[in-house]
Amino acid sequence: MEDNVSARTIARITGVGYALIFALAIHANFAVIGNLPPTDEPDALVAALSSGDIAIGVAVAELLAVMVCDVIVAWGLYHLFRPTGSAVSGLSSLFRVAYTIAFIPVILHLQTAARMAGLGVDPVLVANQISSYHAGFTLTLMFFGVHLMLLGWLIIRTARLPRFVGPFVAFAGFGYVADGLLVLLAPAWRAAHADLWTLAVILAALIGELLLTVILLAAPVRERANG
């Protein structure tokens, strides 16, 4: 691949893909889904969904577009780091693609909730669909977290990108994996500390992935990696 496309070009394409992921995912999850009433208020939730004030359809479209971008980013990162370690690079990208595939049916819970709300289905069942989205998002991010941890190791090992980025990326991945494990193994503790814990995971992800995006878009990229 790199005989025809330079490492710098691959990095820039990957960086653009990552920037689009940031813009689309942040709007969908925070500006749209984040404005929904809580699931323990099912009547208010159904009212918001059926009123059309919450553009769930837009959020679904944005998240599906994010999935397309994720595949492009997985392709770019694989080719960018393949000279450093093809097995680890392939495994890292495979986990990102696995997350993408697993997350698609999770997204559809949002569309199902909106449709059920419009049909006058029991509000509790509608709220369960939104709860399933949140739980599924957290669990599928475990695949994404493993991807980031492997990617962080690759960045540390290679000379293509500044090595200092690697620990931040790996720590962001660790946050995703730890969050998913808490949902599975200690749901009561996570629920009791949900606000603070979620903030910590989000901050780690923003720092690590935003830093990676900036580096991919702007930093010099060596055409040959040093193992």
Side-chain angles (χ1 to χ4, degrees):
M1 178 67 189
E2 289 181 88
D3 294 336
N4 301 315
V5 183
S6 70
R8 179 183 176 129
T9 299
I10 294 173
R12 300 304 183 252
I13 292 172
T14 307
V16 169
Y18 233 131
L20 287 172
I21 289 171
F22 261 105
L24 293 169
I26 287 175
H27 182 267
N29 281 300
F30 294 98
V32 180
I33 301 168
N35 282 327
L36 286 171
T39 54
D40 58 1
E41 298 178 12
D43 291 328
L45 181 60
V46 167
L49 288 170
S50 56
S51 69
D53 293 337
I54 304 295
I56 285 295
V58 172
V60 170
E62 288 176 329
L63 292 174
L64 290 174
V66 166
M67 298 299 95
V68 175
C69 292
D70 267 311
V71 173
I72 295 172
V73 170
W75 164 85
L77 292 173
Y78 168 69
H79 285 289
L80 189 61
F81 292 99
R82 184 178 57 178
T84 304
S86 58
V88 178
S89 181
L91 186 61
S92 174
S93 291
L94 182 62
F95 269 100
R96 189 170 192 131
V97 172
Y99 150 74
T100 302
I101 294 171
F103 187 46
I104 290 173
V106 174
I107 296 172
L108 297 181
H109 282 296
L110 297 171
Q111 191 66 36
T112 300
R115 186 172 67 252
M116 291 170 65
L119 293 173
V121 175
D122 185 348
V124 173
L125 297 178
V126 176
N128 286 343
Q129 290 292 323
I130 300 298
S131 295
S132 295
Y133 168 78
H134 289 300
F137 190 19
T138 301
L139 293 176
T140 55
L141 279 173
M142 293 178 70
F143 291 100
F144 189 73
V146 174
H147 156 71
L148 290 180
M149 292 169 71
L150 292 171
L151 179 61
W153 181 86
L154 284 167
I155 294 172
I156 293 169
R157 188 169 181 265
T158 187
R160 283 227 153 138
L161 299 178
R163 285 188 172 96
F164 77 89
V165 179
F168 289 99
V169 172
F171 188 70
F174 173 78
Y176 286 134
V177 173
D179 195 27
L181 289 175
L182 284 174
V183 168
L184 291 172
L185 303 176
W189 186 93
R190 186 185 181 277
H193 303 83
D195 292 341
L196 185 59
W197 176 255
T198 301
L199 179 61
V201 173
I202 290 174
L203 285 177
L206 282 175
I207 293 171
E209 294 186 79
L210 185 58
L211 183 58
L212 175 61
T213 301
V214 172
I215 291 296
L216 288 168
L217 287 172
V221 179
R222 291 199 179 189
E223 291 300 322
R224 294 187 178 277
N226 296 330

